[in-house]
Amino acid sequence: MMKFGVSGKIMLIYGSLFLAVISLAFVFSYKSTVGGLEQQLKTTNMALLKQIDQKMELSFQQTESSLLQLTSELEFVYFMNDSYMDNAQKNDNFFALSAKLTKFLNNNLQFSSIMAYSAESGSILSDQFYTTKEQSENSWMKDYLEIPDYFEWLTTHKIWDGKINRDVVTLIRSYPPISAPGFRTGVVAANIDVDVLYRMIHDVYEEEAAGHTFILDKTGQVVVHDDASMLYSGMSELPYIKKMVTGPDSGTYSAVVDGVKQTVSYITSSYTGWKIVNIVPESQMYKPLVVTRNLLIMLALVLLITAFVILFVINRRTFSPIDRMLGKLSRHGRPIVAGAPESAARGVSYLESFLDQMFVDRDKLERQLRDSKPMLKWRTVMDVLTGYRTDFAVIAPHLDFTGSRLFPEWYVVCTAEISKEGELQPRDQTLYAYALCNVAEEIINTENAGAAIDLGGGRVVIVFSFAEGDEEQNHLRAMALLEQILNVMNRQIGLTVIAGLGRGYRELKDVPLSYAESQQALHYKKVAGNHGVISILDVQAPDNQDYYRMVRMIDKIVDALKRGELEKGIPYVQETFQEAVSSNLPPDLLRQFSFELVMRAAQTMESIGMDTEETLNEIGNLYERINRCENWRETEQMVEAVLLGFADKIEKRRSQRGKNEHVGRILEYIQDNYRDSGLSLDRLAEEFDLHPTYISKLFKEQMEDNFIDYLIKIRIEAAKKLLGDKSIKISDISDSIGYMHTRSFTRTFKKYTGLTPTEYREQVLGPSSP
């Protein structure tokens, strides 16, 4: 039996402790590095599943809202209640309802078909076919008359859409929309192809993902699966699925699936109750960690070998490295302080360097995660500006994640540049650009929506988004908001900014056009000065003056209707028809103009929350009635009758609505301070101790207008009075009513009056009195 002396025993004890310390250091390092990265990979995987859920929920809820609107149509009521006077009315109603079903599918491309089942007649009508109770091949719909809720999402099943049998997921909606079982007269079914639902999942992953991603319903039945052979199969008996069903609503765990250890991640949709599941082999899940893990294992082997060498060759000289190692572990890997004695860098210094680098890498990873939101926002907005992404449903989740938002339509783009006076340093340019972005988003998002990003070099791009309006109106709104932004930057930060503004566009795909126009307008900064707004409309003339004149007349009539002053708008209607007849305007163009005028008036009514359906139904088919008019006077009388009907509804609603004491005080304040170019919702909020969003909502309800439009109208009326004195210059009038730049005043005045200030002074007011 081997005997050890005192020194041998000490060396053995010391060696055991030394090896234990190295082992613990390796375990702690492995856990903190590899374990942390594993958790981050799991978190990222869960975030992708949540993104899929948000994408599906947004699409489904929007479609359900469209479906509810569709079921309120009169044709739906006739069909569901089987209430027709005769077969002719029945056929006409079926034809009109089928057309509306087709329009619904065209507006909701994710749906492959839509069916309406009437319990009264037993008939089924879709965009492709109509079957009676005896002929129906879709009798499955009547089984859902007694669903406990108002709607239900059905898992994958086959239906006949009039041409082929399709694998679909179905949204069942009761009719009437809010009715209890036993009181329903039918159901509506909107069907999504399984392939479309699968693409919603697949598009979230930028690259082909390993493993499987699928959706299960509450019973464990497959809704959609990337393996088509799994459709119509149940998975509730599988052990890892049972754990999911009986566990919490979301989670991640390991399980053996088909003999392979895999990571199972899932979440439960609060909207449909379905479970979105992702199964990835752990070898693929943690593939990015292989290099780090192997490096740590190799380092551990090197350390063990080195420990034995140190133990048996250097012996006593190892005490100092052990003390340093213990101190290193007790300080949780704090780096060596500069100027430490040389002895602190000897021995196992490579281990200390590795630990230092490991914690530095961890800090870098934390900073990357913290900085990911601004970078994601910048990339998303740039993708929209360059036309790389044109689908609003795709970019909306990214914007929501970064705390920004845009409306689905109506966009205007501005490119702003900070003045280079004083030779700003790059760091100062970055700080000022950051301040400009914050000011812009705060002012825009008070009443509308938008996002601003730094382009570098002292340039910022601002995307305005509006919930309503038209191209020209939103262009003026953006110009007014820009002047507020520039005023805040000048007053509070002392910074001058020149901005180029593009045209307004309705669709997201046209945002690059507005962006290019804003840059083109900014090219004129040399002649426009260092502070102000340059509109693309100021540097590009309209292409067609005749068309612009007709649209301008429609705007005047619609504005009078919206203000409740139709008695001022009727002469515009009569003047337009008289001018059209005297200039031998073709009858087809006159009819088209009449129809467009009524439609624009109806859109204006809806924008202020008025229902136009009743008035239009009383008239009947407006387009056909206008076409049947025998002369222009009959057409004029019909248009005037429709407008008067709209005006009567506005007057009735105003007479029934009470006044709000805050609004009266706010209106008085605006009347007293409209000359201040810095007047804004934030100023009103400070003055009356109210939230800007509340003021905006209150203004909309009481005045049927938003704050910016109301302020513009007040200023235009003041300008009309001042123009009566021809001794006052146009530029002085612009300054006196709150406009920082005469160009903005001139364009806004022409929009609201149809004339420039000079033309108004000469044509409306006439020559000066001697």
Side-chain angles (χ1 to χ4, degrees):
M1 185 175 180
M2 182 178 294
K3 295 183 179 180
F4 294 94
V6 175
S7 60
K9 291 179 179 180
I10 294 176
M11 183 177 67
L12 182 62
I13 295 172
Y14 163 67
S16 300
L17 292 175
F18 190 29
L19 293 176
V21 169
I22 293 176
S23 300
L24 288 173
F26 168 73
V27 171
F28 292 154
S29 301
Y30 185 89
K31 290 291 186 182
S32 63
T33 303
V34 177
L37 292 176
E38 287 180 356
Q39 184 59 40
Q40 291 172 12
L41 287 173
K42 292 177 181 179
T43 302
T44 301
N45 199 33
M46 291 294 291
L48 289 174
L49 293 181
K50 290 179 181 178
Q51 187 173 340
I52 293 173
D53 181 33
Q54 292 171 355
K55 183 177 180 181
M56 288 173 49
E57 183 174 343
L58 177 63
S59 176
F60 287 177
Q61 287 182 341
Q62 287 177 345
T63 302
E64 185 184 352
S65 177
S66 299
L67 192 61
L68 283 173
Q69 184 176 358
L70 177 63
T71 57
S72 66
E73 300 288 346
L74 187 59
E75 290 85 354
F76 243 96
V77 177
Y78 287 153
F79 175 76
M80 287 300 186
N81 293 283
D82 194 29
S83 55
Y84 306 105
M85 296 176 60
D86 49 38
N87 287 332
Q89 184 191 11
K90 181 176 182 180
N91 292 334
D92 289 343
N93 189 75
F94 283 5
F95 178 78
L97 182 55
S98 179
K100 290 191 176 183
L101 295 180
T102 301
K103 181 179 179 181
F104 173 86
L105 293 177
N106 291 335
N107 293 334
N108 299 273
L109 298 179
Q110 69 270 34
F111 283 89
S112 60
S113 63
I114 180 171
M115 303 175 181
Y117 168 73
S118 170
E120 298 295 328
S121 63
S123 302
I124 295 178
L125 179 67
S126 78
D127 58 305
Q128 297 290 337
F129 66 87
Y130 166 71
T131 59
T132 63
K133 180 178 182 180
E134 293 76 15
Q135 299 171 332
S136 174
E137 296 187 24
N138 288 278
S139 59
W140 57 273
M141 293 178 64
K142 67 182 181 181
D143 296 335
Y144 294 95
L145 277 173
E146 306 303 323
I147 57 176
D149 295 324
Y150 302 133
F151 72 95
E152 182 175 336
W153 281 94
L154 307 183
T155 187
T156 306
H157 63 119
K158 287 187 180 292
I159 67 161
W160 172 258
D161 68 351
K163 294 180 179 179
I164 60 173
N165 281 318
R166 308 176 75 101
D167 294 321
V168 298
V169 173
T170 299
L171 167 61
I172 289 287
R173 185 81 207 191
S174 65
Y175 187 88
I178 302 179
S179 58
F183 296 93
R184 295 167 181 165
T185 59
V187 294
V188 184
N191 305 301
I192 304 177
D193 280 353
V194 172
D195 292 341
V196 173
L197 190 58
Y198 172 70
R199 284 197 297 272
M200 286 187 185
I201 300 174
H202 186 269
D203 290 346
V204 171
Y205 296 92
E206 294 185 359
E207 300 178 356
E208 191 66 30
H212 299 284
T213 302
F214 54 92
I215 300 177
L216 302 176
D217 67 4
K218 299 176 182 178
T219 64
Q221 189 76 12
V222 174
V223 176
V224 63
H225 202 294
D226 51 11
D227 182 358
S229 64
M230 295 296 293
L231 292 179
Y232 300 103
S233 61
M235 304 179 68
S236 58
E237 297 302 320
L238 298 176
Y240 71 96
I241 297 296
K242 286 183 177 180
K243 182 177 180 180
M244 185 188 309
V245 172
T246 58
D249 290 340
S250 63
T252 300
Y253 56 88
S254 297
V256 177
V257 182
D258 297 331
V260 179
K261 191 173 183 180
Q262 309 204 34
T263 297
V264 180
S265 303
Y266 72 95
I267 64 171
T268 302
S269 172
S270 60
Y271 179 68
T272 61
W274 296 344
K275 293 187 182 295
I276 307 172
V277 187
N278 176 254
I279 301 178
V280 184
E282 289 195 354
S283 59
Q284 295 292 328
M285 179 76 174
Y286 302 124
K287 189 175 182 180
L289 305 180
V290 171
V291 175
T292 302
R293 183 177 58 195
N294 292 343
L295 178 62
L296 289 174
I297 293 174
M298 291 177 61
L299 180 60
L301 293 175
V302 171
L303 291 178
L304 289 174
I305 295 172
T306 304
F308 279 108
V309 172
I310 294 174
L311 180 61
F312 292 102
V313 176
I314 303 177
N315 197 4
R316 294 184 182 275
R317 296 185 63 182
T318 60
F319 283 104
S320 179
I322 287 178
D323 291 339
R324 193 162 56 249
M325 276 290 297
L326 290 174
K328 189 74 174 181
L329 291 176
S330 66
R331 296 193 302 273
H332 196 61
R334 285 179 290 178
I336 298 176
V337 179
E342 183 180 356
S343 61
R346 293 197 300 265
V348 290
S349 59
Y350 55 87
L351 175 60
E352 296 175 1
S353 300
F354 169 76
L355 291 174
D356 286 338
Q357 186 61 43
M358 181 182 68
F359 288 109
V360 168
D361 291 342
R362 186 187 66 179
D363 292 339
K364 287 182 179 179
L365 182 58
E366 290 178 352
R367 287 196 298 272
Q368 289 174 356
L369 291 174
R370 189 169 56 250
D371 297 339
S372 63
K373 286 188 177 182
M375 290 302 298
L376 178 59
K377 172 186 174 182
W378 186 91
R379 178 179 175 182
T380 303
V381 175
M382 284 303 300
D383 285 348
V384 172
L385 293 173
T386 56
Y388 180 70
R389 295 185 185 272
T390 59
D391 187 350
F392 180 79
V394 174
I395 69 163
H398 296 287
L399 292 174
D400 290 341
F401 177 73
T402 62
S404 301
R405 71 185 184 107
L406 294 175
F407 291 120
E409 55 187 9
W410 299 120
Y411 307 97
V412 184
V413 179
C414 161
T415 303
E417 183 175 290
I418 298 171
S419 174
K420 299 298 192 302
E421 294 181 356
E423 297 297 328
L424 294 176
Q425 298 297 320
R427 181 178 180 182
D428 294 334
Q429 289 181 358
T430 302
L431 290 175
Y432 286 141
Y434 177 77
L436 177 56
C437 290
N438 286 343
V439 170
E441 290 187 349
E442 182 178 354
I443 291 177
I444 295 169
N445 290 319
T446 300
E447 198 168 22
N448 302 288
I453 60 172
D454 183 6
L455 295 180
R459 279 197 173 190
V460 166
V461 62
I462 305 171
V463 180
F464 298 86
S465 182
F466 301 97
E468 60 182 10
D470 55 32
E471 290 83 350
E472 187 174 3
Q473 186 178 23
N474 290 333
H475 181 87
L476 292 176
R477 288 173 176 169
M479 185 176 294
L481 290 170
L482 266 178
E483 294 205 355
Q484 291 185 21
I485 294 168
L486 269 55
N487 183 57
V488 171
M489 293 296 294
N490 186 258
R491 287 195 310 171
Q492 298 186 6
I493 305 180
L495 199 66
T496 58
V497 180
I498 186 74
L501 187 64
R503 287 185 176 87
Y505 291 93
R506 180 165 191 163
E507 298 185 10
L508 189 67
K509 66 181 180 64
D510 293 326
V511 167
L513 297 178
S514 186
Y515 178 45
E517 290 169 352
S518 70
Q519 292 178 313
Q520 180 182 350
L522 195 60
H523 290 164
Y524 291 80
K525 61 184 178 182
K526 292 183 179 179
V527 297
N530 296 323
H531 190 72
V533 181
I534 309 171
S535 169
I536 189 65
L537 301 179
D538 290 330
V539 296
Q540 283 189 350
D543 296 332
N544 191 317
Q545 291 295 332
D546 292 336
Y547 176 77
Y548 177 77
R549 185 166 56 252
M550 293 186 69
V551 171
R552 182 180 63 193
M553 189 61 71
I554 292 178
D555 289 341
K556 292 165 68 175
I557 298 168
V558 169
D559 287 343
L561 172 65
K562 186 175 181 180
R563 294 193 302 268
E565 302 173 352
L566 188 59
E567 66 278 1
K568 297 181 180 180
I570 292 298
Y572 292 144
V573 178
Q574 297 170 351
E575 177 186 341
T576 304
F577 274 88
Q578 289 286 354
E579 182 179 348
V581 173
S582 61
S583 59
N584 294 321
L585 191 72
D588 289 343
L589 189 57
L590 182 61
R591 285 193 291 267
Q592 181 61 34
F593 169 78
S594 303
F595 185 70
E596 180 67 19
L597 173 58
V598 174
M599 288 299 98
R600 285 282 299 277
Q603 291 172 357
T604 300
M605 292 280 289
E606 292 172 353
S607 71
I608 61 175
M610 300 291 294
D611 184 13
T612 62
E613 196 69 25
E614 181 180 351
T615 302
L616 293 177
N617 286 338
E618 292 173 356
I619 300 171
N621 190 319
L622 180 65
Y623 191 79
E624 290 184 3
R625 292 195 60 182
I626 290 178
N627 283 332
R628 289 198 300 265
C629 289
E630 297 180 356
N631 53 64
W632 65 271
R633 290 192 180 277
E634 187 178 344
T635 305
E636 177 188 350
Q637 292 171 1
M638 181 176 298
V639 171
E640 290 180 4
V642 175
L643 296 179
L644 290 172
F646 288 162
D648 184 59
K649 286 188 174 293
I650 292 177
E651 183 61 29
K652 286 181 179 178
R653 191 174 81 164
R654 286 178 174 172
S655 64
Q656 294 171 357
R657 183 177 56 206
K659 295 295 182 180
N660 186 287
E661 60 178 5
H662 291 303
V663 173
R665 293 164 52 212
I666 291 172
L667 293 179
E668 290 179 4
Y669 186 85
I670 294 174
Q671 192 65 42
D672 294 339
N673 296 274
Y674 69 86
R675 301 173 184 83
D676 185 354
S677 60
L679 183 59
S680 65
L681 279 174
D682 288 334
R683 173 80 67 80
L684 294 176
E686 293 176 3
E687 181 68 23
F688 294 97
D689 195 21
L690 298 171
H691 196 278
T693 303
Y694 174 74
I695 295 178
S696 174
K697 180 180 178 182
L698 194 62
F699 223 87
K700 189 74 172 177
E701 291 176 351
Q702 295 290 326
M703 303 304 297
E704 297 172 350
D705 217 341
N706 59 42
F707 166 72
I708 286 294
D709 291 342
Y710 182 81
L711 180 59
I712 291 174
K713 292 172 185 176
I714 289 292
R715 288 172 172 172
I716 294 302
E717 291 301 319
K720 288 179 180 179
K721 296 178 181 179
L722 293 174
L723 285 169
D725 186 352
K726 291 192 175 183
S727 64
I728 305 177
K729 295 181 180 179
I730 302 295
S731 59
D732 292 338
I733 293 176
S734 173
D735 293 339
S736 67
I737 63 172
Y739 281 90
M740 297 171 58
H741 301 282
T742 306
R743 289 194 310 273
S744 299
F745 165 64
T746 300
R747 181 161 298 282
T748 303
F749 191 89
K750 186 172 183 179
K751 159 68 179 175
Y752 279 82
T753 66
L755 300 170
T756 65
T758 303
E759 292 171 346
Y760 181 86
R761 174 174 272 172
E762 294 177 353
Q763 297 181 23
V764 177
L765 300 178
S768 301
S769 57

